[in-house]
């Protein structure tokens, strides 16, 4: 039966079509940035109304770089608290730590045996991260995309929210899933990249040609969600712009265009309205307004995050509950994979 005929049959019978699944993971290292919030996390909150969503703090991915054990644990809890504070309801979404569901690592090993060295060698992120960590180019760094594929395929995810820099990993995931399915039948759902309709691409405040990142060496280029109002406003005042003092969105004005994007996201206004608002203002007044808008919008999230971090026991209970739900779904896929391969199950 084709997908269309199956859907038509469900409609005719009055049955409710099965909701599609969305999976996404976020690293446990560091504090989320304004860029990750506006470019990704802010869109996740809206998806639970239409999709079954799993959001995973990917602490297994984090250890390709040496981590301090206490900091890794603290950052994991910190990230989970941020996800909840930013609007992901644990009752509507499955939230958990990757390391608490062993099936991620188990499926990753299996998929390693269906992934070619040449495919992994072409991954641009491996090349970039190797250049930054020349003293620790480990096997995990090389096979990182296989674990990412396992994360997605484990839950038969239909859609994966990604940025442009992750599309290559989704393509590899589809290649590996297709190869496995060709050998053993339709074991895995073929995932598609999900690009939010309004996914603001937030750039570095000091180097507006680069995406905002918490790993940037210049702290002034990045707004962390935990930054105080004073710090936020100071960083925006120091933002790199240009010399013509005209607030206008244009290709040759990357700094100002980035600030306009941020201001539009924070105020809900269209870019054209933002340009008109500051048509007679200089850059100083504009930067001040952007900083104040960001600080004001982040304040409620910061307050909720602080409340969550004040009760670690409750936070751990939320993660444990989410991990149990995730493991139940993961084990179904893993059993299917083992059966297909020929393992005794």
């Amino acid at each position: 039966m084709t997908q269309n005929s199956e859907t038509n049959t469900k409609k005719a019978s009055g049955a409710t079509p099965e909701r599609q699944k969305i999976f996404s993971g976020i690293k446990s290292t560091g504090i989320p940035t304004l860029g990750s919030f506006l470019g990704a996390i802010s869109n996740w909150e809206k998806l639970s109304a239409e999709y079954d969503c799993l959001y995973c703090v990917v602490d297994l991915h984090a250890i390709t770089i040496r981590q301090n054990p206490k900091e890794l644990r603290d950052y994991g809890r910190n990230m989970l608290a941020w996800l909840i504070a930013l609007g992901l309801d644990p009752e509507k979404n499955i939230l958990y730590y990757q390391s608490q569901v062993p099936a991620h690592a188990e499926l990753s090993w299996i998929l390693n045996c269906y992934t070619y060295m040449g495919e992994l060698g072409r991954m641009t992120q491996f090349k970039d991260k190797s250049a930054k960590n020349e003293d620790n180019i480990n096997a995990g760094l090389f096979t990182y995309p296989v674990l990412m594929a396992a994360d997605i395929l484990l839950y038969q995810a239909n859609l994966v929210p990604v940025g442009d820099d992750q599309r290559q990993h989704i393509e590899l995931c589809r290649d590996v899933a297709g190869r496995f399915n060709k050998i053993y039948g339709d074991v895995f759902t073929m995932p598609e990249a999900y690009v939010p309709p309004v996914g603001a691409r937030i750039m570095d405040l000091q180097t507006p040609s680069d995406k905002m990142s918490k790993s940037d060496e210049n702290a002034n280029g990045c707004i962390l969600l935990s930054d105080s109002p004073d710090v936020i406003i100071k960083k925006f005042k120091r933002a790199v712009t240009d010399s013509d003092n005209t607030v206008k969105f244009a290709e040759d004005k990357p700094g100002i265009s980035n600030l306009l994007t941020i201001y539009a996201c924070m105020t809900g206004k269209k870019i054209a309205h933002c340009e008109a608002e500051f048509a007679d203002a200089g850059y100083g007044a504009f930067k001040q307004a952007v900083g104040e808008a960001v600080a004001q919008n982040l304040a409620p999230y910061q307050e909720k995050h602080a409340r969550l971090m004040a009760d670690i026991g409750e936070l751990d209970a939320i993660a444990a509950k989410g991990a149990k739900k995730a493991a139940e779904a993961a084990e179904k896929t893993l059993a299917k994979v083992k059966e297909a391969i020929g393992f005794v199950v």
Side-chain angles (χ1 to χ4, degrees), residues 111-128:
L111 295 184
N112 266 313
C113 301
Y114 296 85
T115 308
Y116 300 137
M117 297 284 284
E119 291 174 319
L120 295 176
R122 289 192 291 273
M123 294 290 105
T124 54
Q125 280 207 342
F126 171 70
K127 296 173 183 176
D128 293 342

Side-chain angles (χ1 to χ4, degrees), residues 238-258:
R238 295 168 181 162
V240 170
T241 53
D242 51 57
S243 58
D244 72 6
N245 215 32
T246 303
V247 179
K248 185 175 179 61
F249 194 97
E251 187 175 344
D252 62 348
K253 295 170 70 67
I256 287 297
S257 297
N258 186 42

